[in-house]
Structure formats: C-alpha cells, structure tokens
Amino acid sequence: GPAIPVGVDVQVESLDSISEVDMDFTMTLYLRHYWKDERLSFPSTTNKSMTFDGRLVKKIWVPDVFFVHSKRSFIHDTTTDNIMLRVFPDGHVLYSMRITVTAMCNMDFSRFPLDSQTCSLELESYAYTDEDLMLYWKNGNESLKTDEKISLSQFLIQKFHTTSRLAFYSSTGWYNRLYISFTLRRHIFFFLLQTYFPATLMVMLSWVSFWIDRRAVPARVSLGITTVLTMSTIITGVNASMPRVSYIKAVDIYLWVSFVFVFLSVLEYAAVNYLTTVQERKERKLREKFPCTCGMSHSKSMMLDGNYSESDANSLAGYTRSQMVTEEEKQEKMVVHLAMSNASNSSRKRGLKGHVGLRIIQNTHAIDKYSRLIFPGTYIFFNLIYWSVFS
C-alpha cells in the first residue's frame, strides 16, 4: 500500500550542555509519534482511549525513528521506562517517550567568543524509505514546544524552529528527515571579565615602564617580563578550553595583538638602554680626545672651585695650553682648561648638523616621550576596529 504517514511533535524539556571541545550538545525531550493502525481499532462507547505502558510496544508495530549524528542517547527508565502508548477506538495511536540525546553540532569558532551557533537534532526512519513511511511535523512549526525555563550559562537561546527535507543514501534510497534547529548566541560578559579585561590591563601595565627612569633597569625589565608571562598564561588558558581548530579565532586576534604590544614595550626599553649606552660611549671617547689640562695663559685663565656649569665650560672653548701653575695653587684651586681649537669647534658643529635626523632616535627621553602617545593611541585604534568588526 501507500506510505504510512507518521506525524511527529517534540517538547524540549532542557538543553543540558553545549561542549565546544567535543562540538556536541545534550538535550532532553519528549518525542511523540502519531499514526493510524486499523488493526488496533476497537469498538467502544465509553472509553475515549486506552493507555498502555512500554510492554505493549514490543508486540505492535512502531516507527523506527533514530537520531542522525547522535553520539549517545537513552530512554529514561526511572522509576519505570518513560514510554507511553495511547490507542484510540478508530485506530489512531500516540506513542511518546522521554529521551536524552547527545548529538553532534558543527560549530564555527572564527568569531569566538562573539559568535552565534546553530545546531540541529535530526530525526529519520532507519529502515523505511519515503515509499514506506512518510515522516512529517504534525502541526508545522507548532509541533515544537519548549519549556520557558530553559537557559544556559554561556548562551542565550534565540530561536527554535523546525524543517524537513529528503536525505539520500546511495545504497538504500531516499528518506524523510526532520530537523529541530536552534540558534544560540554566546554571552560575552564572562569573557570580558576573564579574558578581555585582564589582557587590556596587562597592556596598560606595560606602558607604566615609559614613565620609569631609563636607568632603573631592574624595575623596567621585571615589569616587562611580568606582563609578557601573564599574557602567555592568558593565551594558554583560553586555548586549553577550546578545540584545536586550524583557523584563527576572534579572541586569538585580540590576545596576540595585545601580546605584541606588551612585547614591543620590552623591545622599546631595550632600544632605550642600547642607545643610552652608545651615547655614553661617544661622550667618553670625546672626553678622552680632549682631556683636561692644568695650565692656561695669564690672559685667558679661569679658576674654578670644584664645580662648574656647562655654560661655563663652553665659554672656555678656544683656550690653549699655557704655563704650569705652582703646586700650592693646584692644592688650593682646581684649574680647568679646555683645549679646543676653532677647527675642532667647526667640525663638531658639522657633526651635530649631520645627526639632526637621528636626534629622536639618539635622544632616549624622546623615545619614551613618543611611546607614551603612540602605544595608547595605536591600541585604542585597534580596539575600535576590533569591536566594530566582531560585535
């Protein structure tokens, strides 16, 4: 004869868990089948229907519906098997059972944790093709009911809906397949507290080194290393709870860019320290090239008592070596003489003029000064682009 129509409706009791690592979900539901078997009809004027337990199911024909892509499933059996069979006088049958099923859900984590996931639970006859059994939703979209108390800790359930289509197997044929689809949107607040805020604070903490004296090597180095190690710990913790996918997630972009900012702050101090060392070496060579002498001419001598300013030293440029002072005068006063010729002055001016383009690089204070503006400005710009794209 023709294919037997079997109507289906489902009431979802709970969504127990969503696992990103295993890419599956667990759902508890009431699965009900409706069909007509004239062999089970009975004349009655008093009974509207007759209800039986699971023992009669083994003695009559029932649809062989199974869950496609199911990993684990079971029928609840406490305190007895949660199966009900209701037969009406005209032969219509209602077959209901309470099932918990764990099924596969292909998730896309490219926008994680700012993502939405759509999962489906698929029902299909195992043996009967569409020529023998026709599965359909009994009341269309109204065939799917959900408990109003359903909630998940990390997801917001946006929508449940039903669809149906034919599935083809090359060796057996065409089958009717029913889909229970639901869309989940992830709550972002948990990840803001556990991932984004700590990463942002670590980046901001790395900027503190720009305000620390460049000669405080232990302070700036320890601050840079601490922020780098903390960012590594945050990245490791996030990836430990995620499947090892082959593409980049949104959270990976944010964390690795933050890691680069922290790492660049360490390199910034390395550049400051290196250029400071180079500058001090040049000054030392300059002092060795033009050493201080203990004599000067009578007309161009100056007695300084132990300390002098840079302007005073510059005013001594051009003096030549003169006669030696007495030993008593050397003990009482320090005589400073700067023997610099006009040629050396002109060469020094040309050298400084040639290094004007490198002034910012050689001036270590300027590197820290500009870093205080460039690092925060660039990071804020990155955040604006990131949240506008993924939110």
Side-chain angles (χ1 to χ4, degrees):
I4 299 174
V6 176
V8 176
D9 70 31
V10 172
Q11 180 173 345
V12 179
E13 182 180 352
S14 65
L15 269 172
D16 301 323
S17 64
I18 307 290
S19 175
E20 290 89 355
V21 177
D22 299 326
M23 286 195 181
D24 59 24
F25 65 93
T26 302
M27 177 186 293
T28 300
L29 52 87
Y30 295 94
L31 178 61
R32 304 185 182 97
H33 307 79
Y34 302 85
W35 74 94
K36 184 177 182 180
D37 190 345
E38 295 179 353
R39 297 172 297 179
L40 299 178
S41 62
F42 60 92
S44 176
T45 57
T46 56
N47 293 332
K48 294 183 179 180
S49 64
M50 297 180 66
T51 302
F52 305 92
D53 56 21
R55 291 175 295 177
L56 183 63
V57 173
K58 299 178 181 179
K59 299 181 180 181
I60 66 172
W61 180 89
V62 294
D64 59 342
V65 174
F66 79 107
F67 297 101
V68 186
H69 306 309
S70 171
K71 296 182 177 180
R72 296 174 299 276
S73 61
F74 64 91
I75 299 175
H76 291 260
D77 56 1
T78 305
T79 56
T80 59
D81 292 340
N82 295 175
I83 297 175
M84 184 266 288
L85 188 70
R86 182 172 295 170
V87 181
F88 296 87
D90 58 356
H92 280 89
V93 180
L94 166 60
Y95 176 41
S96 176
M97 64 189 78
R98 182 168 175 255
I99 303 174
T100 293
V101 56
T102 300
M104 183 178 65
C105 178
N106 294 321
M107 301 182 185
D108 182 13
F109 297 108
S110 59
R111 299 177 65 88
F112 176 88
L114 305 167
D115 58 334
S116 296
Q117 303 294 341
T118 300
C119 300
S120 296
L121 184 63
E122 305 172 11
L123 295 84
E124 183 182 301
S125 172
Y126 190 82
Y128 301 106
T129 65
D130 61 338
E131 297 178 354
D132 299 324
L133 188 145
M134 184 181 67
L135 282 178
Y136 68 97
W137 289 111
K138 188 173 184 297
N139 298 312
N141 287 331
E142 299 297 326
S143 301
L144 181 61
K145 304 292 184 181
T146 58
D147 195 330
E148 295 180 355
K149 297 181 180 179
I150 293 179
S151 62
L152 294 169
S153 59
Q154 292 190 23
F155 291 93
L156 172 65
I157 303 175
Q158 291 185 323
K159 177 176 64 172
F160 275 94
H161 64 278
T162 60
T163 55
S164 62
R165 62 176 66 100
L166 290 175
F168 176 73
Y169 297 90
S170 59
S171 57
T172 54
W174 294 88
Y175 294 82
N176 293 111
R177 183 176 294 183
L178 306 181
Y179 295 82
I180 303 172
S181 301
F182 54 93
T183 303
L184 304 172
R185 182 169 182 82
R186 197 182 304 273
H187 292 301
I188 187 59
F189 189 71
F190 171 81
F191 296 94
L192 287 176
L193 292 179
Q194 299 296 324
T195 304
Y196 287 96
F197 284 165
T200 303
L201 290 178
M202 286 301 104
V203 175
M204 296 173 64
L205 183 62
S206 68
W207 301 338
V208 175
S209 64
F210 303 150
W211 277 265
I212 299 177
D213 189 351
R214 70 182 187 277
R215 291 168 294 185
V217 177
R220 295 190 66 162
V221 171
S222 60
L223 181 61
I225 297 301
T226 301
T227 53
V228 168
L229 293 179
T230 304
M231 284 301 306
S232 301
T233 303
I234 295 175
I235 294 174
T236 303
V238 171
N239 291 328
S241 60
M242 295 295 299
R244 298 179 179 179
V245 295
S246 59
Y247 49 85
I248 299 176
K249 303 182 291 293
V251 68
D252 293 335
I253 297 175
Y254 193 89
L255 291 180
W256 280 105
V257 170
S258 300
F259 182 85
V260 169
F261 271 89
V262 172
F263 187 72
L264 288 178
S265 67
V266 179
L267 295 183
E268 186 270 348
Y269 178 63
V272 168
N273 187 272
Y274 173 75
L275 295 177
T276 301
T277 304
V278 172
Q279 184 177 4
E280 291 177 352
R281 189 182 299 117
K282 290 181 180 179
E283 293 176 355
R284 191 182 304 112
K285 290 181 180 180
L286 187 63
R287 288 195 298 268
E288 292 175 356
K289 185 176 181 180
F290 304 106
C292 295
T293 61
C294 299
M296 62 181 61
S297 62
H298 294 285
S299 60
K300 295 182 179 180
S301 61
M302 177 178 288
M303 305 299 292
L304 302 177
D305 54 350
N307 53 6
Y308 56 94
S309 63
E310 185 178 356
S311 60
D312 295 333
N314 292 332
S315 65
L316 297 176
Y319 288 95
T320 59
R321 186 184 299 269
S322 62
Q323 63 181 10
M324 302 294 293
V325 297
T326 62
E327 189 67 25
E328 295 179 356
E329 292 174 344
K330 289 169 57 179
Q331 295 177 356
E332 293 176 357
K333 300 289 183 178
M334 179 185 2
V335 180
V336 178
H337 172 67
L338 298 178
M340 299 181 67
S341 63
N342 295 329
S344 64
N345 285 335
S346 61
S347 63
R348 185 168 67 101
K349 291 180 180 179
R350 287 195 300 269
L352 291 176
K353 184 177 181 180
H355 289 80
V356 170
L358 300 177
R359 181 178 180 182
I360 296 178
I361 298 178
Q362 293 179 347
N363 189 346
T364 56
H365 293 286
I367 294 178
D368 282 338
K369 178 180 178 181
Y370 288 111
S371 296
R372 296 169 191 172
L373 300 177
I374 294 175
F375 275 73
T378 307
Y379 194 68
I380 292 173
F381 180 70
F382 161 72
N383 274 271
L384 292 176
I385 296 178
Y386 180 87
W387 293 108
S388 62
V389 171
F390 289 102
S391 62

